[in-house]
Every structure is written in C-alpha cells, then in structure tokens.
Amino acid sequence: MSLSETQHEAAGARRIARPVPLRESVYNAILDMIVSRNLQPGQHLVESELAVMLGVSRQPVREALQWLKNDGWVDLRPGLGAYVHTPTVEEADQLLAVRRLLETESARLAAQHVTEEGITHLRDICRQGFAALEAEDVATMVALNAELHATVMRLSGNDVLVELASQVDRRVRWYYTPVARHRGAQSWSEHSALIDAIAAGNADRAAEVMHAHTEHTRVSYLEQQDKSGADAGTPARPVTARQP
C-alpha cells in the first residue's frame, strides 16, 4: 500500500529542519507518523516517497528505516522493502501490563507528594481533555492523555519511575490511539476520579483508580485487536481482566 494523499498532507508540517542531525530528524518524523497512526501497521514504506514528503534525500531515510527496524517500529523484508511493524497481541499485552504496574505506583506516590500546583495542572489537562472529547478531536485526546499520565509520573517524585515510563511512552500512545474514541468519556471520567484521589492525598485510592484505568485500556486494546482479527476471519479469543 502506497502513501495516501492525506498522509502526504499530514507530513507537510514535519519537513526537516537542517540544523538538527538529519538521520535523527528523519527517524523522529517517521516515528511520529507511526505512533499517530498516520502510517498504519503493515503499511509499505517507500523510501522515495518518504524522502519527497520530508524534503530530504533517500540516504537519511534509508538510515532512519534501519534505525527504526532496530528499535522494533519497522520490519525490513528481503526483496520487498520496509513495512510498519504490526504488533502482536502478546507484545501489546506485555507492554500494557508493565505500564499498569509503573503507573499504579506513580499514582500512589503522587498522592503522597501532592502539591496544589500539581493538582491545578492535572485539572487543567482534564478540562482540556473533556473539551477535546466534546469536539471529537481524537489526536488532541491522545496527546492530553499522554500529558496527564506523564504529569502524574513526575508528581510521584521517583526519577527511576519517570525514566522507565519514558521508555514505553510512545508505544503506549501507539496502542492507545486506536481505542481513544471508544474509551472517550469513560477514560476522562476515570482521570477525574484519579485527580480527586491524588488531591485528597489518598494513596491507596489513587493506586486503585489508576490500576483499574490502565487495565481498562489494556482490555479495550486487546478486544479491539480480537474484533479486527475476527472481521478478517481469525477466531477471536476471550479477553480477561487481570487482578492486582
């Protein structure tokens, strides 16, 4: 499948700034399109088209694709070229389960280190999230969701947790984007309940809400993948919630 006209337009704002190391800039531009689902899992990535799209030569695109392959975002198929990696159910399940553990602990710690400034920032993000929900602006919802979770992580005061979470942040957004519309109102209501628990300094409640919230996202993603598989003729498997 070739790059669509919409994807060419989406890349228009990603043309590369020359002062930044070129391979890194191309890498980040392509990765941003993958994470945002402007480039879909399984989509063929044509070097010449990406080069035109990003305003660079084919060489840095080739180097970036190799780098993306090394990081698990792109599959290079001999004789066929580069394709956006299609995550397996097991990959997504494992990563989202680890994310749940990290974020549950971050919520617990955030409630123990609560600040007025932090709560004000969280409530502002949540307000914007409900506005994006009302406007059916999925891209903004995904960005605000990531910002809210990153803020809770920072408020935990645990630098190791922050570093570990940053390593999975892009993949979490990649998995969350397809279910953002479906999770919608429930997700932002859960965010609101989480903020209330953190504001009250109730560490156990904050951890409980975050655990349930991240588990709902995990199950929603797996159910969506099962539905996609069933639509394609692959028998769906039951998706069960995990206990703490």
Side-chain angles (χ1 to χ4, degrees):
M1 179 169 57
S2 185
L3 299 172
S4 71
E5 187 174 319
T6 299
Q7 289 160 348
H8 275 283
E9 292 174 356
R14 299 182 175 88
R15 293 182 71 85
I16 301 305
R18 293 291 178 177
V20 180
L22 201 52
R23 185 184 70 168
E24 182 177 351
S25 296
V26 173
Y27 172 96
N28 285 323
I30 296 174
L31 181 53
D32 181 58
M33 288 188 284
I34 291 173
V35 171
S36 65
R37 301 274 174 153
N38 283 311
L39 295 173
Q40 291 290 320
Q43 182 166 347
H44 187 201
L45 300 174
V46 181
E47 285 183 10
S48 59
E49 292 187 358
L50 288 169
V52 171
M53 183 186 297
L54 298 172
V56 298
S57 68
R58 293 178 64 172
Q59 182 61 30
V61 171
R62 186 175 300 114
E63 293 173 354
L65 290 176
Q66 181 61 55
W67 196 3
L68 288 161
K69 182 262 185 187
N70 294 340
D71 289 346
W73 292 100
V74 165
D75 298 325
L76 298 180
R77 304 176 188 174
L80 296 175
Y83 294 79
V84 177
H85 177 65
T86 299
T88 66
V89 169
E90 289 73 21
E91 285 175 40
D93 193 16
Q94 290 174 14
L95 184 132
L96 292 174
V98 169
R99 177 242 189 169
R100 187 188 63 238
L101 295 174
L102 295 175
E103 302 226 18
T104 297
E105 183 61 16
S106 77
R108 184 190 309 278
L109 292 174
Q112 294 173 354
H113 300 89
V114 60
T115 66
E116 184 176 342
E117 181 181 6
I119 293 302
T120 298
H121 184 46
L122 286 173
R123 292 203 189 282
D124 183 56
I125 297 171
C126 198
R127 178 188 57 77
Q128 294 178 60
F130 277 112
L133 174 65
E134 181 69 20
E136 298 186 353
D137 184 347
V138 174
T140 299
M141 278 195 287
V142 171
L144 289 169
N145 178 75
E147 183 181 352
L148 187 142
H149 282 268
T151 299
V152 173
M153 193 65 67
R154 289 193 299 272
L155 291 175
S156 74
N158 187 312
D159 292 339
V160 175
L161 271 179
V162 172
E163 173 62 25
L164 290 173
S166 70
Q167 294 176 26
V168 300
D169 173 67
R170 274 173 158 164
R171 291 193 187 274
V172 169
R173 282 187 284 146
W174 192 33
Y175 298 141
Y176 180 69
T177 297
V179 300
R181 188 183 300 276
H182 169 71
R183 288 278 284 130
Q186 181 185 12
S187 181
W188 287 99
S189 293
E190 290 165 0
H191 286 152
S192 183
L194 171 67
I195 296 168
D196 287 343
I198 294 174
N202 190 333
D204 289 342
R205 175 60 180 162
E208 178 186 4
V209 174
M210 181 65 95
H211 183 281
H213 172 67
T214 51
E215 177 66 0
H216 290 158
T217 296
R218 185 191 75 86
V219 171
S220 292
Y221 178 83
L222 296 179
E223 287 177 342
Q224 189 257 3
Q225 293 304 107
D226 278 340
K227 183 178 183 301
S228 296
D231 289 344
T234 302
R237 63 174 179 77
V239 177
T240 56
R242 294 183 176 179
Q243 297 303 313

PDB file of all heavy atoms in Angstrom, residues 146-176:
ATOM      1  N   ALA A 146      -1.559  11.413  27.204  1.00  0.00           N
ATOM      2  CA  ALA A 146      -0.134  11.185  27.464  1.00  0.00           C
ATOM      3  C   ALA A 146       0.418  12.233  28.432  1.00  0.00           C
ATOM      4  O   ALA A 146       1.203  11.909  29.331  1.00  0.00           O
ATOM      5  CB  ALA A 146       0.646  11.212  26.146  1.00  0.00           C
ATOM      6  N   GLU A 147      -0.007  13.489  28.257  1.00  0.00           N
ATOM      7  CA  GLU A 147       0.476  14.565  29.130  1.00  0.00           C
ATOM      8  C   GLU A 147       0.010  14.357  30.563  1.00  0.00           C
ATOM      9  O   GLU A 147       0.771  14.568  31.519  1.00  0.00           O
ATOM     10  CB  GLU A 147      -0.003  15.925  28.618  1.00  0.00           C
ATOM     11  CG  GLU A 147       0.523  17.098  29.431  1.00  0.00           C
ATOM     12  CD  GLU A 147       0.035  18.449  28.932  1.00  0.00           C
ATOM     13  OE1 GLU A 147      -0.598  18.500  27.854  1.00  0.00           O
ATOM     14  OE2 GLU A 147       0.285  19.455  29.624  1.00  0.00           O
ATOM     15  N   LEU A 148      -1.244  13.944  30.742  1.00  0.00           N
ATOM     16  CA  LEU A 148      -1.763  13.731  32.087  1.00  0.00           C
ATOM     17  C   LEU A 148      -1.000  12.619  32.801  1.00  0.00           C
ATOM     18  O   LEU A 148      -0.583  12.762  33.953  1.00  0.00           O
ATOM     19  CB  LEU A 148      -3.257  13.418  32.038  1.00  0.00           C
ATOM     20  CG  LEU A 148      -3.953  13.345  33.405  1.00  0.00           C
ATOM     21  CD1 LEU A 148      -5.356  13.954  33.331  1.00  0.00           C
ATOM     22  CD2 LEU A 148      -4.048  11.904  33.914  1.00  0.00           C
ATOM     23  N   HIS A 149      -0.799  11.506  32.087  1.00  0.00           N
ATOM     24  CA  HIS A 149      -0.089  10.388  32.708  1.00  0.00           C
ATOM     25  C   HIS A 149       1.363  10.750  33.008  1.00  0.00           C
ATOM     26  O   HIS A 149       1.902  10.359  34.054  1.00  0.00           O
ATOM     27  CB  HIS A 149      -0.174   9.155  31.812  1.00  0.00           C
ATOM     28  CG  HIS A 149      -1.498   8.456  31.896  1.00  0.00           C
ATOM     29  ND1 HIS A 149      -1.739   7.419  32.772  1.00  0.00           N
ATOM     30  CD2 HIS A 149      -2.657   8.660  31.223  1.00  0.00           C
ATOM     31  CE1 HIS A 149      -2.998   7.011  32.633  1.00  0.00           C
ATOM     32  NE2 HIS A 149      -3.567   7.756  31.697  1.00  0.00           N
ATOM     33  N   ALA A 150       1.999  11.506  32.124  1.00  0.00           N
ATOM     34  CA  ALA A 150       3.379  11.933  32.353  1.00  0.00           C
ATOM     35  C   ALA A 150       3.457  12.872  33.557  1.00  0.00           C
ATOM     36  O   ALA A 150       4.417  12.834  34.335  1.00  0.00           O
ATOM     37  CB  ALA A 150       3.936  12.617  31.111  1.00  0.00           C
ATOM     38  N   THR A 151       2.435  13.705  33.731  1.00  0.00           N
ATOM     39  CA  THR A 151       2.407  14.629  34.865  1.00  0.00           C
ATOM     40  C   THR A 151       2.278  13.869  36.176  1.00  0.00           C
ATOM     41  O   THR A 151       2.979  14.168  37.152  1.00  0.00           O
ATOM     42  CB  THR A 151       1.246  15.629  34.711  1.00  0.00           C
ATOM     43  OG1 THR A 151       1.426  16.387  33.511  1.00  0.00           O
ATOM     44  CG2 THR A 151       1.183  16.576  35.898  1.00  0.00           C
ATOM     45  N   VAL A 152       1.387  12.878  36.210  1.00  0.00           N
ATOM     46  CA  VAL A 152       1.258  12.055  37.418  1.00  0.00           C
ATOM     47  C   VAL A 152       2.589  11.378  37.729  1.00  0.00           C
ATOM     48  O   VAL A 152       3.022  11.318  38.886  1.00  0.00           O
ATOM     49  CB  VAL A 152       0.144  11.001  37.252  1.00  0.00           C
ATOM     50  CG1 VAL A 152       0.125  10.025  38.437  1.00  0.00           C
ATOM     51  CG2 VAL A 152      -1.220  11.673  37.116  1.00  0.00           C
ATOM     52  N   MET A 153       3.243  10.884  36.678  1.00  0.00           N
ATOM     53  CA  MET A 153       4.530  10.220  36.865  1.00  0.00           C
ATOM     54  C   MET A 153       5.550  11.185  37.480  1.00  0.00           C
ATOM     55  O   MET A 153       6.271  10.838  38.413  1.00  0.00           O
ATOM     56  CB  MET A 153       5.028   9.695  35.515  1.00  0.00           C
ATOM     57  CG  MET A 153       6.180   8.732  35.610  1.00  0.00           C
ATOM     58  SD  MET A 153       5.796   7.163  36.444  1.00  0.00           S
ATOM     59  CE  MET A 153       4.637   6.416  35.297  1.00  0.00           C
ATOM     60  N   ARG A 154       5.606  12.414  36.966  1.00  0.00           N
ATOM     61  CA  ARG A 154       6.549  13.401  37.515  1.00  0.00           C
ATOM     62  C   ARG A 154       6.206  13.756  38.956  1.00  0.00           C
ATOM     63  O   ARG A 154       7.090  13.959  39.789  1.00  0.00           O
ATOM     64  CB  ARG A 154       6.565  14.665  36.651  1.00  0.00           C
ATOM     65  CG  ARG A 154       7.230  14.475  35.288  1.00  0.00           C
ATOM     66  CD  ARG A 154       7.496  15.805  34.616  1.00  0.00           C
ATOM     67  NE  ARG A 154       6.276  16.556  34.362  1.00  0.00           N
ATOM     68  CZ  ARG A 154       5.537  16.447  33.264  1.00  0.00           C
ATOM     69  NH1 ARG A 154       5.893  15.586  32.312  1.00  0.00           N
ATOM     70  NH2 ARG A 154       4.452  17.178  33.098  1.00  0.00           N
ATOM     71  N   LEU A 155       4.903  13.840  39.258  1.00  0.00           N
ATOM     72  CA  LEU A 155       4.477  14.196  40.611  1.00  0.00           C
ATOM     73  C   LEU A 155       4.804  13.102  41.627  1.00  0.00           C
ATOM     74  O   LEU A 155       4.781  13.349  42.832  1.00  0.00           O
ATOM     75  CB  LEU A 155       2.969  14.477  40.631  1.00  0.00           C
ATOM     76  CG  LEU A 155       2.512  15.745  39.891  1.00  0.00           C
ATOM     77  CD1 LEU A 155       0.985  15.836  39.878  1.00  0.00           C
ATOM     78  CD2 LEU A 155       3.123  16.991  40.522  1.00  0.00           C
ATOM     79  N   SER A 156       5.108  11.896  41.134  1.00  0.00           N
ATOM     80  CA  SER A 156       5.478  10.813  42.041  1.00  0.00           C
ATOM     81  C   SER A 156       6.779  11.126  42.766  1.00  0.00           C
ATOM     82  O   SER A 156       7.033  10.615  43.858  1.00  0.00           O
ATOM     83  CB  SER A 156       5.637   9.500  41.266  1.00  0.00           C
ATOM     84  OG  SER A 156       6.838   9.483  40.508  1.00  0.00           O
ATOM     85  N   GLY A 157       7.636  11.948  42.132  1.00  0.00           N
ATOM     86  CA  GLY A 157       8.915  12.281  42.733  1.00  0.00           C
ATOM     87  C   GLY A 157       9.956  11.185  42.605  1.00  0.00           C
ATOM     88  O   GLY A 157      11.054  11.297  43.161  1.00  0.00           O
ATOM     89  N   ASN A 158       9.635  10.123  41.861  1.00  0.00           N
ATOM     90  CA  ASN A 158      10.551   8.992  41.703  1.00  0.00           C
ATOM     91  C   ASN A 158      11.183   9.054  40.312  1.00  0.00           C
ATOM     92  O   ASN A 158      10.522   8.750  39.313  1.00  0.00           O
ATOM     93  CB  ASN A 158       9.798   7.672  41.909  1.00  0.00           C
ATOM     94  CG  ASN A 158      10.718   6.460  41.937  1.00  0.00           C
ATOM     95  OD1 ASN A 158      11.576   6.306  41.076  1.00  0.00           O
ATOM     96  ND2 ASN A 158      10.525   5.603  42.927  1.00  0.00           N
ATOM     97  N   ASP A 159      12.442   9.445  40.244  1.00  0.00           N
ATOM     98  CA  ASP A 159      13.103   9.628  38.948  1.00  0.00           C
ATOM     99  C   ASP A 159      13.247   8.326  38.174  1.00  0.00           C
ATOM    100  O   ASP A 159      13.249   8.324  36.947  1.00  0.00           O
ATOM    101  CB  ASP A 159      14.481  10.263  39.148  1.00  0.00           C
ATOM    102  CG  ASP A 159      14.396  11.708  39.635  1.00  0.00           C
ATOM    103  OD1 ASP A 159      13.334  12.332  39.438  1.00  0.00           O
ATOM    104  OD2 ASP A 159      15.385  12.204  40.210  1.00  0.00           O
ATOM    105  N   VAL A 160      13.404   7.214  38.879  1.00  0.00           N
ATOM    106  CA  VAL A 160      13.528   5.921  38.196  1.00  0.00           C
ATOM    107  C   VAL A 160      12.218   5.567  37.505  1.00  0.00           C
ATOM    108  O   VAL A 160      12.211   5.113  36.354  1.00  0.00           O
ATOM    109  CB  VAL A 160      13.938   4.808  39.182  1.00  0.00           C
ATOM    110  CG1 VAL A 160      13.945   3.449  38.482  1.00  0.00           C
ATOM    111  CG2 VAL A 160      15.310   5.102  39.775  1.00  0.00           C
ATOM    112  N   LEU A 161      11.110   5.779  38.183  1.00  0.00           N
ATOM    113  CA  LEU A 161       9.803   5.535  37.560  1.00  0.00           C
ATOM    114  C   LEU A 161       9.619   6.407  36.328  1.00  0.00           C
ATOM    115  O   LEU A 161       9.124   5.947  35.291  1.00  0.00           O
ATOM    116  CB  LEU A 161       8.671   5.827  38.557  1.00  0.00           C
ATOM    117  CG  LEU A 161       8.193   4.700  39.459  1.00  0.00           C
ATOM    118  CD1 LEU A 161       7.080   5.217  40.378  1.00  0.00           C
ATOM    119  CD2 LEU A 161       7.680   3.515  38.648  1.00  0.00           C
ATOM    120  N   VAL A 162       9.992   7.673  36.436  1.00  0.00           N
ATOM    121  CA  VAL A 162       9.861   8.603  35.313  1.00  0.00           C
ATOM    122  C   VAL A 162      10.672   8.107  34.119  1.00  0.00           C
ATOM    123  O   VAL A 162      10.194   8.105  32.976  1.00  0.00           O
ATOM    124  CB  VAL A 162      10.304  10.024  35.717  1.00  0.00           C
ATOM    125  CG1 VAL A 162      10.345  10.934  34.499  1.00  0.00           C
ATOM    126  CG2 VAL A 162       9.369  10.598  36.771  1.00  0.00           C
ATOM    127  N   GLU A 163      11.893   7.662  34.366  1.00  0.00           N
ATOM    128  CA  GLU A 163      12.764   7.175  33.287  1.00  0.00           C
ATOM    129  C   GLU A 163      12.193   5.909  32.651  1.00  0.00           C
ATOM    130  O   GLU A 163      12.157   5.769  31.420  1.00  0.00           O
ATOM    131  CB  GLU A 163      14.167   6.909  33.846  1.00  0.00           C
ATOM    132  CG  GLU A 163      15.117   6.252  32.856  1.00  0.00           C
ATOM    133  CD  GLU A 163      15.386   7.103  31.623  1.00  0.00           C
ATOM    134  OE1 GLU A 163      15.248   8.340  31.703  1.00  0.00           O
ATOM    135  OE2 GLU A 163      15.739   6.525  30.568  1.00  0.00           O
ATOM    136  N   LEU A 164      11.734   4.980  33.466  1.00  0.00           N
ATOM    137  CA  LEU A 164      11.161   3.742  32.931  1.00  0.00           C
ATOM    138  C   LEU A 164       9.911   4.029  32.108  1.00  0.00           C
ATOM    139  O   LEU A 164       9.712   3.455  31.027  1.00  0.00           O
ATOM    140  CB  LEU A 164      10.830   2.773  34.069  1.00  0.00           C
ATOM    141  CG  LEU A 164      12.022   2.156  34.801  1.00  0.00           C
ATOM    142  CD1 LEU A 164      11.554   1.361  36.010  1.00  0.00           C
ATOM    143  CD2 LEU A 164      12.825   1.264  33.860  1.00  0.00           C
ATOM    144  N   ALA A 165       9.066   4.928  32.607  1.00  0.00           N
ATOM    145  CA  ALA A 165       7.834   5.262  31.893  1.00  0.00           C
ATOM    146  C   ALA A 165       8.136   5.922  30.556  1.00  0.00           C
ATOM    147  O   ALA A 165       7.438   5.690  29.566  1.00  0.00           O
ATOM    148  CB  ALA A 165       6.953   6.173  32.746  1.00  0.00           C
ATOM    149  N   SER A 166       9.183   6.742  30.510  1.00  0.00           N
ATOM    150  CA  SER A 166       9.527   7.427  29.270  1.00  0.00           C
ATOM    151  C   SER A 166       9.941   6.438  28.182  1.00  0.00           C
ATOM    152  O   SER A 166       9.786   6.700  26.993  1.00  0.00           O
ATOM    153  CB  SER A 166      10.651   8.443  29.505  1.00  0.00           C
ATOM    154  OG  SER A 166      11.881   7.792  29.765  1.00  0.00           O
ATOM    155  N   GLN A 167      10.454   5.282  28.592  1.00  0.00           N
ATOM    156  CA  GLN A 167      10.894   4.280  27.636  1.00  0.00           C
ATOM    157  C   GLN A 167       9.717   3.586  26.932  1.00  0.00           C
ATOM    158  O   GLN A 167       9.886   3.035  25.844  1.00  0.00           O
ATOM    159  CB  GLN A 167      11.770   3.235  28.337  1.00  0.00           C
ATOM    160  CG  GLN A 167      13.089   3.786  28.863  1.00  0.00           C
ATOM    161  CD  GLN A 167      13.882   2.753  29.629  1.00  0.00           C
ATOM    162  OE1 GLN A 167      13.757   1.556  29.425  1.00  0.00           O
ATOM    163  NE2 GLN A 167      14.724   3.211  30.546  1.00  0.00           N
ATOM    164  N   VAL A 168       8.532   3.604  27.558  1.00  0.00           N
ATOM    165  CA  VAL A 168       7.381   2.933  26.947  1.00  0.00           C
ATOM    166  C   VAL A 168       6.307   3.914  26.486  1.00  0.00           C
ATOM    167  O   VAL A 168       5.284   3.508  25.929  1.00  0.00           O
ATOM    168  CB  VAL A 168       6.751   1.897  27.920  1.00  0.00           C
ATOM    169  CG1 VAL A 168       7.760   0.838  28.307  1.00  0.00           C
ATOM    170  CG2 VAL A 168       6.182   2.579  29.164  1.00  0.00           C
ATOM    171  N   ASP A 169       6.563   5.215  26.697  1.00  0.00           N
ATOM    172  CA  ASP A 169       5.528   6.219  26.422  1.00  0.00           C
ATOM    173  C   ASP A 169       5.019   6.175  24.979  1.00  0.00           C
ATOM    174  O   ASP A 169       3.811   6.179  24.736  1.00  0.00           O
ATOM    175  CB  ASP A 169       6.072   7.617  26.735  1.00  0.00           C
ATOM    176  CG  ASP A 169       5.107   8.719  26.309  1.00  0.00           C
ATOM    177  OD1 ASP A 169       4.025   8.819  26.905  1.00  0.00           O
ATOM    178  OD2 ASP A 169       5.434   9.467  25.372  1.00  0.00           O
ATOM    179  N   ARG A 170       5.930   6.123  24.007  1.00  0.00           N
ATOM    180  CA  ARG A 170       5.499   6.157  22.608  1.00  0.00           C
ATOM    181  C   ARG A 170       4.702   4.918  22.246  1.00  0.00           C
ATOM    182  O   ARG A 170       3.731   4.990  21.499  1.00  0.00           O
ATOM    183  CB  ARG A 170       6.709   6.308  21.693  1.00  0.00           C
ATOM    184  CG  ARG A 170       7.132   7.767  21.483  1.00  0.00           C
ATOM    185  CD  ARG A 170       8.411   7.870  20.711  1.00  0.00           C
ATOM    186  NE  ARG A 170       8.551   9.168  20.075  1.00  0.00           N
ATOM    187  CZ  ARG A 170       9.690   9.637  19.600  1.00  0.00           C
ATOM    188  NH1 ARG A 170      10.799   8.905  19.692  1.00  0.00           N
ATOM    189  NH2 ARG A 170       9.764  10.812  19.023  1.00  0.00           N
ATOM    190  N   ARG A 171       5.103   3.767  22.763  1.00  0.00           N
ATOM    191  CA  ARG A 171       4.338   2.552  22.442  1.00  0.00           C
ATOM    192  C   ARG A 171       2.964   2.567  23.104  1.00  0.00           C
ATOM    193  O   ARG A 171       1.993   2.088  22.532  1.00  0.00           O
ATOM    194  CB  ARG A 171       5.127   1.305  22.844  1.00  0.00           C
ATOM    195  CG  ARG A 171       6.344   1.105  21.957  1.00  0.00           C
ATOM    196  CD  ARG A 171       6.989  -0.253  22.103  1.00  0.00           C
ATOM    197  NE  ARG A 171       8.224  -0.302  21.346  1.00  0.00           N
ATOM    198  CZ  ARG A 171       8.291  -0.614  20.053  1.00  0.00           C
ATOM    199  NH1 ARG A 171       7.183  -0.934  19.404  1.00  0.00           N
ATOM    200  NH2 ARG A 171       9.443  -0.626  19.432  1.00  0.00           N
ATOM    201  N   VAL A 172       2.887   3.136  24.309  1.00  0.00           N
ATOM    202  CA  VAL A 172       1.576   3.268  24.950  1.00  0.00           C
ATOM    203  C   VAL A 172       0.655   4.127  24.083  1.00  0.00           C
ATOM    204  O   VAL A 172      -0.505   3.788  23.860  1.00  0.00           O
ATOM    205  CB  VAL A 172       1.713   3.865  26.367  1.00  0.00           C
ATOM    206  CG1 VAL A 172       0.340   4.246  26.925  1.00  0.00           C
ATOM    207  CG2 VAL A 172       2.402   2.874  27.300  1.00  0.00           C
ATOM    208  N   ARG A 173       1.184   5.256  23.573  1.00  0.00           N
ATOM    209  CA  ARG A 173       0.364   6.116  22.702  1.00  0.00           C
ATOM    210  C   ARG A 173      -0.022   5.389  21.422  1.00  0.00           C
ATOM    211  O   ARG A 173      -1.130   5.559  20.898  1.00  0.00           O
ATOM    212  CB  ARG A 173       1.120   7.408  22.379  1.00  0.00           C
ATOM    213  CG  ARG A 173       1.091   8.425  23.503  1.00  0.00           C
ATOM    214  CD  ARG A 173       1.705   9.737  23.063  1.00  0.00           C
ATOM    215  NE  ARG A 173       3.161   9.659  23.026  1.00  0.00           N
ATOM    216  CZ  ARG A 173       3.919  10.292  22.153  1.00  0.00           C
ATOM    217  NH1 ARG A 173       3.355  11.034  21.198  1.00  0.00           N
ATOM    218  NH2 ARG A 173       5.222  10.195  22.198  1.00  0.00           N
ATOM    219  N   TRP A 174       0.876   4.585  20.893  1.00  0.00           N
ATOM    220  CA  TRP A 174       0.610   3.803  19.681  1.00  0.00           C
ATOM    221  C   TRP A 174      -0.558   2.853  19.894  1.00  0.00           C
ATOM    222  O   TRP A 174      -1.443   2.716  19.054  1.00  0.00           O
ATOM    223  CB  TRP A 174       1.878   3.032  19.327  1.00  0.00           C
ATOM    224  CG  TRP A 174       1.910   2.396  17.965  1.00  0.00           C
ATOM    225  CD1 TRP A 174       1.329   2.851  16.821  1.00  0.00           C
ATOM    226  CD2 TRP A 174       2.611   1.199  17.601  1.00  0.00           C
ATOM    227  NE1 TRP A 174       1.622   2.018  15.763  1.00  0.00           N
ATOM    228  CE2 TRP A 174       2.412   0.998  16.220  1.00  0.00           C
ATOM    229  CE3 TRP A 174       3.393   0.298  18.313  1.00  0.00           C
ATOM    230  CZ2 TRP A 174       2.952  -0.084  15.532  1.00  0.00           C
ATOM    231  CZ3 TRP A 174       3.943  -0.770  17.634  1.00  0.00           C
ATOM    232  CH2 TRP A 174       3.733  -0.961  16.268  1.00  0.00           C
ATOM    233  N   TYR A 175      -0.561   2.199  21.060  1.00  0.00           N
ATOM    234  CA  TYR A 175      -1.642   1.261  21.366  1.00  0.00           C
ATOM    235  C   TYR A 175      -2.930   1.983  21.775  1.00  0.00           C
ATOM    236  O   TYR A 175      -4.037   1.480  21.551  1.00  0.00           O
ATOM    237  CB  TYR A 175      -1.220   0.309  22.487  1.00  0.00           C
ATOM    238  CG  TYR A 175      -0.039  -0.565  22.156  1.00  0.00           C
ATOM    239  CD1 TYR A 175       0.936  -0.847  23.115  1.00  0.00           C
ATOM    240  CD2 TYR A 175       0.117  -1.114  20.884  1.00  0.00           C
ATOM    241  CE1 TYR A 175       2.030  -1.649  22.814  1.00  0.00           C
ATOM    242  CE2 TYR A 175       1.203  -1.908  20.579  1.00  0.00           C
ATOM    243  CZ  TYR A 175       2.158  -2.181  21.542  1.00  0.00           C
ATOM    244  OH  TYR A 175       3.243  -2.972  21.247  1.00  0.00           O
ATOM    245  N   TYR A 176      -2.785   3.161  22.398  1.00  0.00           N
ATOM    246  CA  TYR A 176      -3.969   3.868  22.880  1.00  0.00           C
ATOM    247  C   TYR A 176      -4.754   4.530  21.754  1.00  0.00           C
ATOM    248  O   TYR A 176      -5.990   4.593  21.801  1.00  0.00           O
ATOM    249  CB  TYR A 176      -3.566   4.930  23.912  1.00  0.00           C
ATOM    250  CG  TYR A 176      -4.730   5.710  24.477  1.00  0.00           C
ATOM    251  CD1 TYR A 176      -5.659   5.099  25.321  1.00  0.00           C
ATOM    252  CD2 TYR A 176      -4.932   7.048  24.150  1.00  0.00           C
ATOM    253  CE1 TYR A 176      -6.740   5.799  25.831  1.00  0.00           C
ATOM    254  CE2 TYR A 176      -5.998   7.768  24.660  1.00  0.00           C
ATOM    255  CZ  TYR A 176      -6.899   7.137  25.499  1.00  0.00           C
ATOM    256  OH  TYR A 176      -7.966   7.835  25.995  1.00  0.00           O
TER     257      TYR A 176
END
